[in-house]
Amino acid sequence: MLLSKPKIIRGGVRTESRKQSTAEAPLEPLRAGQRLYVSLAQHIGAPALPAVAPGQDVAKGQCIGTPEAGLSAAVHAPTSGRVVAIDRHPAPHPSGLTVPTVIIEPDGEERWAPQLPDPMTAPAGQLDPTAIATRVAEAGIVGMGGAAFPAAVKLGAGQPVATLILNGGECEPYLTCDDRLMRERAAGIIDGAQLMARALGAERTAIGVEDNKPEAIHALRRATDALGGPDVVPVPSLWPQGSEKHLIYTLTGREVPAGARAADIGVVVHNVGTAYAVHRAARHGRPLISRPITVGGGAVAEPTNFEVPLGLPLQALLEAAGGLREDPARVLAGGPMMGQVAPLEAGVAKGTNGVIALTAAEIREAEGRPCIRCGRCVDACPMGLMPFEIANRAAAGDVDGAAASGLMDCLTCGSCAYVCPSARPLVQLFHHARGQRAEQAAAKERSELQRRMAEQRAERQRREQERKKAAAAARRRQRAQQKAAGGDSESPAQEQPQNEEKETQT
Amino acid sequence: MSELVAGPHTRAPLSLPTLMRQVLLAAAPATAFGVWLYGWPALNLLLITLVTVVAAEAACLRAAGRPVRSGVGDSSALVAGWILAMSLPPWAPWWIGVIGGLLAVILGKGVFGGTGQNLFNPAMVARVALLIAFPVEMTRWVEPAPLGSATAPGFLESLGITFAGAADWDAVTGATTLDTARTAVTEGQSIETALPEAYQPALALLGYAPGSLAEGSALLLALGGLYLIYRRVIAWEIPVVMLATLALLASAFHLIDPDRYADAGVHILAGSTLLAAFFIATDPTTSPATTLGRAVFAAGCALIVWVVRTYGGYPEATAFAVLLMNAFTPLIDHWIRPRVYGRTRLGAPLSTDREGP
């Protein structure tokens, strides 16, 4: 089902890649500093449950958070040291909301935990698929492209998967950490891909890499030649080529139906970084405790790439990159298209692929002007939506109209806002409208619940009345009978209504 | 609305004011040629119209309680005024420019809620309103009298023409190519025999003929239009489809009866076809937002232009065509939409077992 020639996606924008400053910077391992803020909620799903207590010593790779039931992921100590607190701390998210966080003071010894699992040495084809998925779960691996979806769930979903696609798109401007990983650790990525393909039972595997990374393509091809591995397919450098839906279209010519998941059409997509983490977990028994990150943006003195222990504050990353040469207008976790304004004290999470400090000139902030319906957003939308229409309806408070125009189909990729000559905050309007819609749905559910409860109460009361009537009638009948018989026993008839009274109150 | 800043945190360099100024830049050569061709009165008219639209825009913004500086600064009113001036008779009196400018800004967009809210092209609203209200002044064309030539009015004389109506019209009036063609057909003459006197393709290409201020020079208008396409300021579909449809229609009918129907060259080079195709029909606000929608819109414009020129009584084929199609724009945008990823044309989710969309 893979195509021999990649298909060009509809819409999309050619952003300025701005990758030059870090593309040649090798992944430099960064040591844990003063304190690590390891979030227990750095993945999609429920936060992990703390498995350590304040004051406890932890070893590198030791499990410090066990996954909650359902969708969740394990969390491990990125280095050895002492847990000083388990407290709420800001996450790399603009809300400023805090998340449960294990705060570790490193002892600098980098002492590995003794109980790490044994390396799996057999060729991928001979391993037990379930054992691979289990290992991925134990290692706490989540999608490293940014979404942070627990990877083991996607490997063991039980649906037949014909095609595994590795995402080496990295189409966000500035970010080059995946590019570096592909250049430097291609063999590990290919091995990880083979392990995941085995776990999924996938017949085919392809790696899509944007054609602006010739060296990564070269390195991967060399590794696939050696390992007899999957196809490496150059894809156009076009935002948002790295979106799962669009990479699938480019490589298979198929679209993920609205409301369905990729697995429903037999495709699973994983980021190249995730594949590398799977390789590390299986072949070396290492849990996910560090990740590649690009530190960049015009305000950073020496933009570069790091291999960073999870939990290291973003501030420490900026300092490691030579500090700031000017006051940034905005500091982001992630790239400039979909990244989010982040507090500097937040710790690096499993999904954090960049820390980008942008100058005002790079942001090109412009005064918002009225929509002139020029249709540039329509041409740019990779989902085939008419963003100006959704935005106009959202701005007018017409949430239902916005939904009818495709609000829920939007990827919030920002292509529309990128090209808008009137500098309208389109994505913000979409988020806002979605929030309102969720609120309306919740309110509707609440009122529905209230209505049902009121109906039930009315029904109960009605039944109550009937029973009372029936009881009274029975009493009258009884009395009449007693009169007729000349007997005397009224106590049961008196007690009964009292019991019923209690029942109605519950 | 949420105070949180959402992505993207960078943007493409093209902004609304830049976009509008690119249009002015592209229109400048054809306008400069018009000013040279018809002399100082043409420049007077252009300046009067521009001053009027800026003042009117400022007044509208103030009345609407919007920031005046930023609203005027986007240059959208300037574009409307400029294009209106290009389409006016070059020696029209000052009050034509003033009334036209007021109509364009106030009736053309102010009453709809300002920039981006109007249904109809502001310049064309003004042009048609002026034609209906002042048919004499709006159809008096002058023979070319280039600056520096013997027949050209001097600067002081031009003030008399513009502000006091001092032109000796009997001496300067000429007929446009399309007028000649229409007259020939109504008098039972063949277009082919009537045309050569007034119409020469080479002169039409340059715009050396009686006509509006700056809609004559096919060459310079096309040059400006191609620049706008190259800079991605206008959508290429509109000029390409409009010109192609008009050429096809004209050629087909010309082939059937050359005496009655003018050929494609006349339709494209004479009149305001190129001004409309590149500068008027391409107005982003009043044209559809999708590629296919724009093509339908442009084909509709071409059809109406041809019908009005061939069967109608008014000289305003392009203005009518654009305004009529403007009215259809919301409908076109409602019916012609891109197919949403993962959905059928009708909006239902694709089935999971279907091979490809």
Side-chain angles (χ1 to χ4, degrees):
Chain A
M1 147 165 160
L2 286 166
L3 299 174
S4 49
K5 197 168 174 288
K7 276 200 170 190
I8 309 281
I9 61 172
R10 180 206 177 285
V13 290
R14 298 236 171 239
T15 56
E16 301 158 62
S17 83
R18 305 186 194 167
K19 291 176 190 273
Q20 312 81 347
S21 56
T22 55
E24 299 309 319
L27 288 169
E28 184 191 329
L30 211 57
R31 285 178 66 87
Q34 304 277 300
R35 275 193 175 183
L36 295 181
Y37 298 86
V38 187
S39 159
L40 292 169
Q42 46 185 321
H43 47 260
I44 286 180
L49 302 167
V52 287
Q56 187 179 333
D57 282 332
V58 291
K60 190 170 179 176
Q62 179 184 337
C63 184
I64 56 173
T66 49
E68 171 79 280
L71 196 61
S72 188
V75 177
H76 302 80
T79 186
S80 59
R82 175 174 296 231
V83 176
V84 291
I86 297 175
D87 203 355
R88 297 189 73 88
H89 189 77
H93 187 270
S95 65
L97 295 178
T98 56
V99 296
T101 302
V102 178
I103 303 168
I104 297 175
E105 215 163 65
D107 56 18
E109 290 171 21
E110 304 280 337
R111 178 171 39 83
W112 281 94
Q115 69 276 35
L116 291 174
D118 294 329
M120 301 163 109
T121 49
Q126 291 168 20
L127 289 168
D128 173 27
T130 328
I132 299 173
T134 309
R135 176 62 61 90
V136 170
E138 283 169 359
I141 297 172
V142 305
M144 303 200 27
F149 188 89
V153 177
K154 260 159 83 174
L155 288 182
Q159 243 166 327
V161 169
T163 310
L164 167 68
I165 291 175
L166 278 208
N167 188 350
E170 195 167 50
C171 45
E172 275 273 10
Y174 296 95
L175 302 188
T176 57
C177 59
D178 280 359
D179 185 11
R180 291 311 309 180
L181 194 76
M182 289 186 280
R183 291 196 207 186
E184 297 174 30
R185 301 177 199 174
I189 293 171
I190 302 299
D191 181 54
Q194 289 174 335
L195 289 164
M196 289 199 284
R198 173 69 180 168
L200 291 163
E203 293 149 26
R204 287 176 174 166
T205 306
I207 308 176
V209 185
E210 280 201 351
D211 55 17
N212 60 0
K213 303 174 186 60
E215 311 217 1
I217 293 170
H218 182 67
L220 287 171
R221 282 197 169 145
R222 239 183 9 218
T224 53
D225 286 349
L227 295 168
D231 286 340
V232 179
V233 188
V235 298
S237 312
L238 186 67
W239 175 264
Q241 181 63 67
S243 129
E244 176 173 293
K245 286 180 173 175
H246 293 88
L247 194 60
I248 290 174
Y249 177 75
T250 297
L251 296 181
T252 71
R254 294 196 63 187
E255 294 184 9
V256 181
R261 292 167 313 154
D264 295 336
I265 57 165
V267 184
V268 160
V269 181
H270 280 287
N271 177 263
V272 287
T274 316
Y276 184 72
V278 169
H279 158 79
R280 293 272 298 163
R283 303 304 192 189
H284 303 277
R286 302 294 195 223
L288 179 60
I289 54 171
S290 67
R291 66 153 300 143
I293 284 185
T294 300
V295 183
V300 172
E302 298 155 23
T304 187
N305 286 299
F306 290 124
E307 167 92 34
V308 183
L310 299 178
L312 199 68
L314 306 186
Q315 176 71 46
L317 263 69
L318 291 173
E319 280 160 19
L324 296 167
R325 68 166 140 227
E326 63 178 281
D327 269 349
R330 222 173 272 176
V331 179
L332 307 173
M337 294 301 287
M338 288 184 80
Q340 297 179 311
V341 177
L344 292 182
E345 65 267 33
V348 165
K350 291 172 182 176
T352 314
N353 47 13
V355 181
I356 309 294
L358 297 173
T359 63
E362 288 173 305
I363 294 178
R364 281 208 194 99
E365 201 151 20
E367 181 188 355
R369 294 174 184 275
C371 171
I372 56 162
R373 300 173 18 89
C374 65
R376 279 177 173 73
C377 54
V378 181
D379 292 336
C381 180
M383 291 300 285
L385 303 171
M386 297 177 75
F388 76 89
E389 188 187 80
I390 307 177
N392 288 348
R393 289 179 173 174
D398 177 11
V399 179
D400 289 337
S405 304
L407 175 68
M408 303 318 277
D409 285 295
C410 168
L411 295 176
T412 66
C413 73
S415 298
C416 53
Y418 181 82
V419 297
C420 178
S422 292
R424 303 191 73 209
L426 295 166
V427 179
Q428 241 161 300
L429 280 164
F430 302 154
H431 283 310
H432 181 65
R434 281 185 178 180
Q436 274 185 318
R437 203 174 139 77
E439 253 169 53
Q440 282 177 3
K444 200 173 156 194
E445 205 169 301
R446 268 199 308 277
S447 71
E448 182 68 17
L449 189 69
Q450 273 168 356
R451 192 185 57 78
R452 263 205 323 272
M453 281 167 64
E455 266 175 17
Q456 281 169 355
R457 187 164 58 234
E459 173 66 18
R460 253 194 337 263
Q461 284 167 344
R462 193 180 57 76
R463 275 202 308 264
E464 210 51 53
Q465 291 294 330
E466 274 173 13
R467 270 160 73 180
K468 277 184 186 164
K469 260 188 214 158
R475 265 199 317 273
R476 273 198 302 277
R477 263 200 316 276
Q478 216 175 1
R479 262 188 228 120
Q481 279 172 1
Q482 281 167 356
K483 237 178 211 172
D488 186 340
S489 87
E490 56 182 86
S491 47
Q494 267 179 346
E495 269 167 31
Q496 209 177 351
Q498 277 171 359
N499 288 342
E500 280 167 10
E501 202 70 40
K502 266 181 204 157
E503 221 174 285
T504 43
Q505 281 166 2
T506 52
Chain B
M1 192 170 130
S2 162
E3 291 305 307
L4 298 179
V5 181
H9 304 280
T10 181
R11 57 175 53 261
L14 186 68
S15 70
L16 181 55
T18 322
L19 197 146
M20 291 295 173
R21 275 161 215 156
Q22 296 277 333
V23 177
L24 295 178
L25 187 67
T31 312
F33 177 80
V35 167
W36 171 78
L37 192 65
Y38 304 115
W40 297 115
L43 184 65
N44 294 342
L45 184 63
L46 175 69
L47 295 178
I48 287 166
T49 313
L50 294 184
V51 168
T52 309
V53 289
V54 169
E57 178 83 340
C60 280
L61 287 165
R62 178 166 290 236
R66 302 228 183 106
V68 174
R69 264 180 95 94
S70 116
V72 172
D74 72 16
S75 299
S76 59
L78 217 51
V79 167
W82 190 294
I83 287 171
L84 169 64
M86 288 172 87
S87 74
L88 293 176
W91 283 20
W94 66 274
W95 50 267
I96 287 280
V98 170
I99 295 176
L102 293 175
L103 286 172
V105 171
I106 299 171
L107 191 63
K109 47 187 269 205
V111 296
F112 290 97
T115 301
Q117 298 293 318
N118 48 307
L119 274 177
F120 299 99
N121 183 296
M124 293 304 102
V125 166
R127 181 171 167 177
V128 167
L130 285 171
L131 176 79
I132 293 167
F134 313 106
V136 176
E137 284 78 5
M138 285 297 286
T139 51
R140 261 201 311 223
W141 315 106
V142 285
E143 290 284 354
L147 281 174
S149 70
T151 48
F155 181 69
L156 286 176
E157 203 181 331
S158 86
L159 295 179
I161 292 170
T162 305
F163 292 99
D168 175 6
W169 286 103
D170 289 340
V172 296
T173 313
T176 68
T177 306
L178 292 170
D179 279 345
T180 314
R182 193 192 315 277
T183 313
V185 172
T186 44
E187 288 173 354
Q189 268 182 288
S190 141
I191 282 188
E192 297 243 302
T193 54
L195 267 187
E197 299 164 20
Y199 173 76
Q200 289 168 307
L203 285 183
L205 200 63
L206 284 174
Y208 200 92
S212 294
L213 201 161
E215 62 180 32
S217 176
L219 201 66
L220 295 176
L221 287 167
L223 205 70
L226 291 176
Y227 170 77
L228 290 180
I229 291 175
Y230 168 71
R231 296 301 300 263
R232 292 173 185 266
V233 170
I234 59 170
W236 63 270
E237 303 93 311
I238 292 179
V240 169
V241 174
M242 185 171 164
L243 295 176
T245 310
L246 188 57
L248 225 66
L249 258 178
S251 299
F253 279 84
H254 183 69
L255 220 61
I256 295 167
D257 186 354
D259 286 347
R260 202 174 145 64
Y261 300 105
D263 65 23
V266 172
H267 273 285
I268 288 182
L269 298 178
S272 55
T273 310
L274 287 175
L275 179 68
F278 286 109
F279 291 89
I280 300 172
T282 51
D283 169 23
T285 301
T286 57
S287 60
T290 60
T291 300
L292 184 62
R294 289 178 196 130
V296 169
F297 171 87
C301 284
L303 180 69
I304 299 171
V305 166
W306 186 84
V307 168
V308 172
R309 280 184 182 167
T310 308
Y311 303 107
Y314 275 100
E316 294 298 309
T318 58
F320 286 151
V322 169
L323 289 177
L324 275 168
M325 287 314 292
N326 285 165
F328 281 102
T329 293
L331 206 60
I332 293 174
D333 272 343
H334 182 75
W335 286 111
I336 301 182
R337 320 173 65 88
R339 185 181 63 80
V340 177
Y341 178 106
R343 292 183 183 276
T344 63
R345 284 227 158 268
L346 294 176
L350 293 177
S351 106
T352 47
D353 45 42
R354 225 176 76 182
E355 265 300 322

